Amino acid sequence: MIADYLRRGVAAGGVAGIAYGLYMALVGNPLSTYVEHAGHGHTHGGGGLVSETTTAVVSAGSGLLWAVLLGGVFAVALYLLEPALPGSAEVRSYVLAGAGFLTVSGVPWLALPPAAPGAVHQYPIGVRMQAYVGLMLLGAITAAAAVLAYQRGARRHVGLGVVAGAVPIVAVAAALAVAAPTVTTYPDHPADLVAAYQGLAVLTQAGIWFLVAGAFNALRRRRSERGQGESTPASDDALVG
């Protein structure tokens, strides 16, 4: 039932959220502070131990809440879309996680990359938000097209399916790389530092989706081993052709 999926999704989000919160407190926040001060050509301490502790706690809490919310949305989407996804039950979770990452972060960030501290924005926030929503829609379409292309190609050979599924993603990435305008500049930051910051942000968000899917599968296996079945929209052994 959908309630089983939702409970498992929220729990999986909690697992991912703890990891993400720790990352933000121990790595993300210090890195942001370093990048901010590097833009001014120097580094120095923040606002003191209390300020740093407060920032760490707020970041950890925000990361946990974000991952729990993502886990709940993931669970509902999996329950509704699982029959249309390729692979076994566990594979379908990872396929949906990849689609979610493409929709929420992957495709939008190709045109609107995550802004590092000290970024100078070329467009007002309203325009950027509208563009981001539109790019999320494009990301969802891209993910759906990739799944459909894989399913058609996999009827002949799995390798052909993988190549076919990659075509929509590569095409959209190439188009956005050519057509997207410059939305942020960093006049005081080294280009390699900004690139490293943005790359780490991308990997971190991809990691959250991966952890949610992995924890969801682990919880499902644990329930199955205990002999507690659940109502699923598709058989765990089904392969979508």
Side-chain angles (χ1 to χ4, degrees):
M1 305 238 351
I2 191 170
D4 295 325
Y5 273 60
L6 186 58
R7 282 194 293 268
R8 191 174 299 114
V10 170
V15 172
I18 292 173
Y20 182 52
L22 289 173
Y23 162 81
M24 288 302 300
L26 300 177
V27 178
N29 290 335
L31 178 60
S32 295
T33 300
Y34 175 80
V35 172
E36 181 179 6
H37 294 317
H40 300 289
H42 62 86
T43 58
H44 55 75
L49 179 60
V50 174
S51 177
E52 293 177 0
T53 302
T54 301
T55 300
V57 171
V58 171
S59 296
S62 299
L64 176 61
L65 291 176
W66 162 244
V68 169
L69 174 62
L70 187 150
V73 173
F74 171 88
V76 174
L78 183 62
Y79 182 83
L80 296 175
L81 300 176
E82 191 168 11
L85 299 175
S88 65
E90 292 199 359
V91 170
R92 290 194 293 265
S93 294
Y94 289 113
V95 170
L96 181 62
F101 171 73
L102 280 177
T103 300
V104 177
S105 300
V107 170
W109 280 352
L110 290 172
L112 297 170
V120 177
H121 298 287
Q122 305 301 307
Y123 299 92
I125 187 171
V127 173
R128 284 182 278 128
M129 290 299 296
Q130 292 175 3
Y132 201 96
V133 172
L135 288 165
M136 285 180 61
L137 177 59
L138 177 60
I141 295 172
T142 303
V147 170
L148 292 174
Y150 167 82
Q151 290 173 333
R152 290 189 177 184
R155 293 172 184 172
R156 298 183 178 180
H157 191 275
V158 174
L160 180 59
V162 172
V163 172
V167 169
I169 300 173
V170 173
V172 169
L176 289 177
V178 172
T182 299
V183 296
T184 53
T185 58
Y186 299 89
D188 300 321
H189 291 68
D192 56 347
L193 180 60
V194 173
Y197 179 92
Q198 293 175 336
L200 192 57
V202 172
L203 290 176
T204 301
Q205 290 303 310
I208 294 175
W209 285 98
F210 178 84
L211 284 175
V212 168
F216 187 94
N217 285 337
L219 291 169
R220 175 152 53 185
R221 286 195 302 271
R222 182 179 179 184
R223 181 182 179 90
S224 178
E225 290 170 357
R226 289 181 173 180
Q228 297 175 311
E230 65 179 354
S231 175
T232 61
S235 169
D236 285 359
D237 298 324
L239 291 176
V240 178

